[in-house]
Amino acid sequence: GAARSISTVPQYAASVRRALGGDTPQQAVIQTVRGRGYRFVAEVTESDSPSPSAFRSPRDARRSEGISKPRFVGRHELMSTLRAALEESLSGETRVVMLEGDPGIGKTRVVEELCREAAESGVMVLTGRCHEGEGAPAFWPWIQTARDWTRLNEGKPIPDEIEAEAAFFATLAPPKGAQVAKPAAQAVGAEARFRVFDRAARGLRAFAKQAPLVLVLEDMHWADPASLEFLSFVGAELHHDPVFILGTYRDKELHGTPELFQTLADLTRQPTFRRLSIRGLELDYVAELLAQIVGSDVAPALAESVAALTEGNPFFVVEIARILGAEASGLESGDMAEGSEIHLPASISDTIGHRLGRLGAGTRKLLSVASVIGREFGITLLSEAAGTEPEQIFEPLEEASAIGIIEPAQSSPDAYRFAHALIRETLYQGILGPNRARLHRAIAEALERHHSESAAPPLTALAHHWYQAVATGAVDKAAEYCERAGLPALSGHGFEEAAVH
């Protein structure tokens, strides 16, 4: 039942190899044939014995689980507070919660855990994530929630009382190939935007009457001004409706995002709003997280050292555990002597760099190109930008997927995404300026070729990449696409983005 594409074979091959555990050689069962594909090479015998997985040790089983996603640990007080807010929203009292914390501190994991519980209770969960950097259209996180609603209700009859609102939200997420109209004169202005916001808020209220809503807005430190203004509007308009809005942002980036700072100030005046902070894990949970990845209990001295270095940041803890586990740094016994010398990376960047260093040079180069595309990247676009055939990037993508650097994207069977924004940021920041401009140009040219016959090309992404490629002499292209991207932003009431373009 899974969608098949040129990317699914390496994904499944990597999954099989992970399932076999760390003691099985990478090529022992599925052999990679460079430039061709894969060959099944394991010796096969018929047997009535239990499957080989039954003989895996608990250590191998826990290691395999840890590669994909460690179990959720800690956060009991925070989860209790969020569950209470969710219950209040289910009883008909709107709640808006913004969860703040450092990069890698576990904001997304907390949100995922709460959304899982909400979905199990029959709540409709709609998710939007802001795009890091530039290149996304105005209202991007809200557009994604609208698409989520459309997907979840596809094929279902729409009640008369919300038909108009459903049609309006469909305009936020037009189907591919739809024509983008030029802005009408009367569509421009604060009054026009207010009418749009008012209708959208009424739409949310109508949808919530059909089923309680949880709206997730992740990475709001990257949100465009129009999205933040709409959040302020909704926070002021919705009060006695079964709607729970849960946003996340990096608190240390508030000083560089005055629009988010103002939005939080506006929301603070509303009785429906709550601002929560997420901090590092306590020592016991750091030790538990380390044990999950390593596969056995770790010595108290090691847990204390890692907790002190990482300040309980789960992403950092997991990355260090994987490094130490891969290098078998005295972790097998769990009785490391107190005071033993432990060589740990000095920062998150060093930790990520250490794990990237385990990859081949070709794989690291390919991932650098992918980081210029963004957090999520398609195989075809990546191969064109890198100047290679799609079949030739299977092996490096498999290598990166096998150690958790990238993972299959949910949006498309032909796409991957970096497992964490910090990995993408580390790779992108490591590209020198001239080479970065050259890669932006290669991506812009590939996008242009792909959408040469499209009625609705990704104008915002094209404007972003051509603008970043100005140093290569792409001034005319940058001006052309910035102007073309400004028009739909204007017609869509994204006035701030239109001005930027």
Side-chain angles (χ1 to χ4, degrees), residues 81-255:
T81 303
L82 289 171
R83 289 186 186 108
L86 176 61
E87 288 296 326
E88 290 165 0
S89 73
L90 294 179
S91 68
E93 297 297 321
T94 303
R95 290 293 177 263
V96 181
V97 176
M98 292 294 282
L99 188 60
E100 63 180 17
D102 292 341
I105 202 68
K107 301 182 293 296
T108 295
R109 192 63 193 275
V110 167
V111 169
E112 288 175 349
E113 192 69 14
L114 187 73
C115 288
R116 180 187 60 77
E117 296 178 10
E120 290 174 354
S121 302
V123 177
M124 181 175 290
V125 178
L126 309 178
T127 303
R129 176 178 285 107
C130 298
H131 180 72
E132 56 252 55
E134 303 172 10
F139 299 107
W140 181 238
W142 297 101
I143 287 173
Q144 291 178 89
T145 61
R147 287 177 176 171
D148 245 10
W149 190 91
T150 302
R151 177 180 57 82
L152 292 172
N153 289 276
E154 187 175 4
K156 297 179 182 178
I158 299 176
D160 294 339
E161 58 268 27
I162 66 170
E163 186 172 2
E165 285 77 7
F168 170 71
F169 270 95
T171 64
L172 286 180
K176 292 182 179 179
Q179 292 283 353
V180 179
K182 290 188 176 182
Q186 66 268 24
V188 179
E191 184 180 348
R193 176 182 273 189
F194 179 88
R195 290 198 298 268
V196 169
F197 283 5
D198 179 57
R199 189 173 182 186
R202 285 189 282 116
L204 288 175
R205 184 177 287 119
F207 293 149
K209 288 180 180 178
Q210 301 298 314
L213 290 180
V214 171
L215 299 176
V216 176
L217 305 171
E218 287 213 70
D219 298 327
M220 292 300 281
H221 50 279
W222 286 320
D224 59 281
S227 292
L228 291 169
E229 189 171 335
F230 183 52
L231 176 59
S232 294
F233 186 91
V234 169
E237 289 296 310
L238 301 184
H239 291 285
H240 303 294
D241 304 282
V243 177
F244 182 44
I245 300 176
L246 179 57
T248 67
Y249 67 94
R250 297 179 184 177
D251 51 348
K252 289 184 178 179
E253 298 197 23
L254 266 181
H255 68 280

Side-chain angles (χ1 to χ4, degrees), residues 72-83 285 288:
F72 186 71
V73 300
R75 312 298 190 199
H76 301 298
E77 184 176 347
L78 177 63
M79 289 301 297
S80 295
T81 303
L82 289 171
R83 289 186 186 108
Y285 298 121
E288 184 177 345

Side-chain angles (χ1 to χ4, degrees), residues 249-417:
Y249 67 94
R250 297 179 184 177
D251 51 348
K252 289 184 178 179
E253 298 197 23
L254 266 181
H255 68 280
T257 51
E259 296 89 356
L260 176 58
F261 188 89
Q262 183 60 50
T263 297
L264 294 173
D266 294 340
L267 290 171
T268 300
R269 295 195 289 268
Q270 306 302 326
T272 58
F273 177 67
R274 183 134 189 212
R275 186 171 168 181
L276 301 175
S277 296
I278 180 169
R279 299 298 178 231
L281 294 171
E282 297 174 355
L283 176 59
D284 289 347
Y285 298 121
V286 169
E288 184 177 345
L289 199 53
L290 285 170
Q292 284 190 50
I293 307 302
V294 172
S296 63
D297 292 338
V298 298
L302 175 61
E304 290 172 8
S305 296
V306 173
L309 175 66
T310 63
E311 296 182 346
N313 184 302
F315 175 76
F316 202 5
V317 171
V318 170
E319 291 301 298
I320 286 180
R322 285 173 175 166
I323 290 172
L324 295 176
E327 296 178 352
S329 301
L331 297 177
E332 297 291 336
S333 62
D335 58 355
M336 182 182 293
E338 293 290 335
S340 296
E341 185 177 3
I342 303 170
H343 299 285
L344 298 175
S347 68
I348 290 183
S349 294
D350 289 345
T351 304
I352 296 173
H354 193 293
R355 193 146 70 100
L356 290 171
R358 294 169 54 194
L359 299 170
T363 301
R364 293 198 302 273
K365 183 178 179 181
L366 187 69
L367 292 179
S368 292
V369 178
S371 74
V372 180
I373 297 174
R375 173 81 180 270
E376 187 173 310
F377 52 91
I379 284 183
T380 304
L381 178 59
L382 175 60
S383 64
E384 287 200 28
T388 186
E389 295 297 322
E391 292 79 6
Q392 294 177 335
I393 68 174
F394 283 173
E395 187 174 353
L397 289 179
E398 178 193 336
E399 181 187 6
S401 178
I403 65 170
I405 297 294
I406 61 174
E407 60 192 14
Q410 296 181 351
S411 61
S412 168
D414 291 320
Y416 281 88
R417 68 193 299 266

